[in-house]
Amino acid sequence: MSSINQIPVIEAKKGNPLARVFDELVRFCRSRSLFILHYCTGCGAIELPPAMTSRFDMERLGIQPMVSPRQADILLITGYVSIKTLKRVILTYEQMGSPKYVIGICSCTVNGGMYWQSYATAKKLDEYMPVDLYIAGCMPRPEAVIAGLQQLMDSIHAGKANSWEDYYRNYDYYLGNQQKLFGDNWQTPTDVIAEAKHYNLLSKGTLGVHTRLLEQHQQPLEALEMRLGHNLKEPTE
Amino acid sequence: MAPLELLLELTLMPLVAFLVGMMMVLMMRRIAARIQRRVGPPLFQPLYDIVKLHSKQTQVSHGLIHDIGIVMAMGGYIAAETLLPVPGMNGIAEKGGIITLLYLMMIPSLGLALGVGQCANPNGSIGIARALTAMLAYDIPLVIVIFGVAYAAGTTNLVDIIAQQQAGGFATWGAVQMPLLAVAGLIAMHASLGKQPFEIYIAPAEIATGPMVEMSGKHLGGLFVMQCFQLYTISVLYVSLFLGGGSTWFDFLLKSFLVLAIPASIAYLFPRYRTEDLLRLMWKWPVMLGLIGVAFVL
Ligand code: SF4
């Protein structure tokens, strides 16, 4: 028993038995139908096409690629994340609908990998958003990717893949790390604190020094004005 | 007919359509997988997808019209199912006729246009513009084909059309009597499925699935359900017009799955047309074939 997760905990079963059956069905379907959004940041992305196409065929596990964050369940980060990319990754992550899962593929997402000394990459992905699963390797083979996805499926089925709640519970910590990289006036279009309240996940770590800093700098979002030819300049000749 | 019996039929027909439609979705995905030498999704994959999408914790709605649009998209097809006779159940097919059915089959696209409009996503708007253009492209041959069949049968009542075809066995099938119309109908049907090479409005690599780009959770789930109904409606309509409907459930289902397998196996072999190429193609070949076919019928 090397980790605390392996110690069996007997949970008291209570509640409506019908609701339990329903929850089980939902968890099963969630684990069997995963739409992935592959944000191909680094070289590890090259191992995804074989995992999806005829050689290894992810679709037989119910895993499909999707193209927009709204539709997706899994955010696949495939390789090093530069600081500029990380902003986009965070925007994408916040737009996805929960329950959402993040998988970091490649060693570079674990600890910076061979870009450890680079000034331009974010080293540890889980300082900026909760990561459900890392698949290490430089780069991991498709078998490893699929094994990792199966592990994720198992933990979704067991109801343990809840790291998305962590983002709401410890928003202050994640925001702090983001502010350290992007500067004090970093802000995303998503109101994470309001969402945390909505999901009843507001806890000690949600609000803190960094969220107060955010409030100071936060500017209300305005809808973009719809205008044709808004910034089309006439050629000056 | 007793009102209770009618009520039962009106509930049963969409339900059957949904179940059969899910199997059709599975079949299309399996065919795609086989063509690409993959294994393909498991048996209940369409069900898993729909249940999962409806059970997402985040349900982003962009407003009332967004919700109503999805309901219209599904509702249009659900209403269409009650006008499509299946073995043993006619629903209100005798009173409706094909013309009502054609109108009902346009409602989903319009509903989608309304719903996507409120999302205010440029990709979605482009997608919807393309979807309506595509509808313009395939509806003209479809209307010509349906006019031809109705003229030949002398009625717009789908139940009578099926009965006339079943009267003389194989030789009186629409596909045997009017082969040109049947071919034109097949092309128009393929285009209305929105599969490659006619999937200009989904185009994942280009406009990020167009109308579906802002959909999440149960809205996307609703569209998945709509797709089940769409496949069912289109293939059953074709079977009723050209392949003599079904006298038993077995040959009814066999025919509708076979009809759907034709576009499905063509679809994954070709890349996508551009919008104007699609218009040109649809207004040239199926329309020409359809008009010649109609000339034979007249
Ligand atoms: S771990 Fe290796 S393969 Fe993956 S992103 Fe880093 S350098 Fe590239």
Side-chain angles (χ1 to χ4, degrees):
Chain A
M1 293 210 182
S2 53
S3 100
I4 194 161
N5 291 338
Q6 289 172 347
I7 299 171
V9 182
I10 297 156
E11 284 175 23
K13 289 199 171 153
K14 54 178 182 235
N16 184 346
L18 218 62
R20 247 187 286 131
V21 172
F22 186 73
D23 283 351
E24 171 68 24
L25 172 78
V26 165
R27 275 207 304 272
F28 181 75
C29 289
R30 273 183 190 159
S31 71
R32 282 319 187 85
S33 150
L34 293 168
F35 295 167
I36 58 175
L37 180 70
H38 36 291
Y39 197 83
C40 297
T41 53
C43 19
I46 205 70
E47 295 295 337
L48 281 183
M52 274 175 218
T53 50
S54 43
R55 187 77 170 87
F56 294 103
D57 187 21
M58 273 183 193
E59 203 186 8
R60 70 200 148 97
L61 303 175
I63 303 170
Q64 281 189 69
M66 276 283 164
V67 292
S68 91
R70 294 252 187 249
Q71 303 163 351
D73 303 304
I74 305 182
L75 180 59
L76 275 183
I77 311 284
T78 57
Y80 56 84
V81 212
S82 75
I83 292 174
K84 215 172 171 183
T85 321
L86 186 61
K87 287 186 185 172
R88 277 78 187 169
V89 171
I90 291 167
L91 291 188
T92 312
Y93 176 72
E94 287 183 355
Q95 281 184 48
M96 286 167 57
S98 39
K100 50 190 168 188
Y101 319 101
V102 179
I103 298 184
I105 292 184
C106 274
S107 307
C108 282
T109 53
V110 184
N111 55 12
M114 64 186 258
Y115 295 94
W116 169 247
Q117 284 159 320
S118 165
Y119 60 90
T121 57
K123 305 295 179 300
K124 294 181 190 160
L125 189 61
D126 56 11
E127 285 181 349
Y128 309 99
M129 58 177 65
V131 177
D132 282 273
L133 189 83
Y134 280 121
I135 303 170
C138 179
M139 49 204 44
R141 284 191 48 80
E143 293 97 318
V145 174
I146 287 189
L149 284 167
Q150 271 173 328
Q151 213 173 320
L152 180 71
M153 283 164 67
D154 289 343
S155 61
I156 294 173
H157 191 188
K160 285 189 201 140
N162 288 330
S163 75
W164 61 275
E165 293 176 358
D166 196 48
Y167 193 66
Y168 296 112
R169 290 222 174 91
N170 294 319
Y171 182 54
D172 193 53
Y173 165 75
Y174 292 114
L175 185 68
N177 288 331
Q178 293 168 11
Q179 280 170 347
K180 229 180 279 167
L181 274 192
F182 309 139
D184 285 350
N185 53 2
W186 161 251
Q187 127 183 37
T188 58
T190 318
D191 191 349
V192 179
I193 298 169
E195 280 187 12
K197 279 184 197 143
H198 174 78
Y199 295 125
N200 254 338
L201 292 173
L202 205 64
S203 65
K204 266 209 307 280
T206 311
L207 300 171
V209 211
H210 305 292
T211 48
R212 246 172 282 145
L213 194 61
L214 173 71
E215 270 164 34
Q216 280 169 24
H217 293 281
Q218 204 165 28
Q219 281 158 1
L221 282 176
E222 284 161 19
L224 284 180
E225 196 185 343
M226 294 280 219
R227 211 194 300 164
L228 279 181
H230 177 46
N231 41 18
L232 288 182
K233 287 212 181 83
E234 293 288 316
T236 50
E237 262 180 295
Chain B
M1 195 191 300
L4 208 63
E5 201 181 324
L6 185 66
L7 201 67
L8 189 71
E9 285 189 0
L10 292 190
T11 11
L12 269 183
M13 284 162 85
L15 274 180
V16 168
F18 179 54
L19 292 181
V20 177
M22 276 203 294
M23 298 312 290
M24 286 174 166
V25 171
L26 180 76
M27 184 188 73
M28 289 206 99
R29 287 175 65 175
R30 280 268 175 95
I31 289 179
R34 287 295 139 81
I35 288 177
Q36 295 160 357
R37 297 200 185 168
R38 290 188 287 120
V39 182
L43 190 63
F44 290 110
Q45 190 61 46
L47 187 69
Y48 297 155
D49 287 349
I50 290 171
V51 173
K52 183 215 61 182
L53 284 170
H54 281 90
S55 67
K56 287 284 265 191
Q57 232 134 336
T58 312
Q59 302 283 2
V60 184
S61 167
H62 294 268
L64 190 63
I65 300 292
H66 185 201
D67 302 345
I68 291 179
I70 305 293
V71 173
M72 265 175 81
M74 258 198 292
Y77 277 124
I78 293 179
E81 310 315 348
T82 58
L83 292 175
L84 276 174
V86 293
M89 286 190 280
N90 281 340
I92 46 174
E94 282 171 42
K95 305 190 180 63
I98 324 182
I99 298 177
T100 324
L101 186 63
L102 263 187
Y103 272 108
L104 285 177
M105 280 169 63
M106 280 177 203
I107 290 182
S109 298
L110 302 179
L112 214 54
L114 279 181
V116 172
Q118 194 164 35
C119 300
N121 187 313
N123 281 329
S125 313
I126 297 175
I128 273 304
R130 290 185 180 192
L132 295 182
T133 318
M135 196 167 92
L136 203 65
Y138 63 72
D139 258 359
I140 290 182
L142 198 65
V143 168
I144 291 177
V145 164
I146 286 180
F147 168 76
V149 174
Y151 192 88
T155 169
T156 58
N157 185 339
L158 216 47
V159 181
D160 288 347
I161 295 179
I162 294 175
Q164 283 180 20
Q165 294 183 59
Q166 283 175 352
F170 183 69
T172 46
W173 279 13
V176 180
Q177 301 266 316
M178 303 164 280
L180 284 179
L181 284 182
V183 173
L186 198 62
I187 302 175
M189 171 188 123
H190 188 170
S192 61
L193 287 177
K195 289 280 166 201
Q196 296 96 328
F198 305 119
E199 50 134 32
I200 53 167
Y201 54 94
I202 307 289
E206 192 182 328
I207 51 169
T209 61
M212 291 171 3
V213 64
E214 277 291 318
M215 306 286 174
S216 69
K218 57 187 173 191
H219 295 86
L220 189 63
L223 293 187
F224 273 52
V225 175
M226 185 199 92
Q227 197 199 7
C228 301
F229 282 127
Q230 184 193 23
L231 297 183
Y232 174 88
T233 313
I234 291 170
S235 70
V236 168
L237 178 65
Y238 191 84
V239 167
S240 321
L241 288 179
F242 291 110
L243 302 181
S247 39
T248 60
W249 275 100
F250 176 72
D251 75 343
F252 173 75
L253 289 181
L254 186 73
K255 279 178 199 167
S256 26
F257 276 91
L258 275 182
V259 159
L260 204 63
I262 300 171
S265 27
I266 296 173
Y268 297 97
L269 301 178
F270 294 102
R272 185 168 61 238
Y273 281 115
R274 289 210 315 263
T275 313
E276 66 266 34
D277 289 344
L278 171 72
L279 272 179
R280 203 169 294 141
L281 180 112
M282 293 309 287
W283 284 355
K284 202 191 264 172
W285 297 107
V287 166
M288 207 155 76
L289 284 177
L291 285 180
I292 299 174
V294 168
F296 274 118
V297 170
L298 298 177

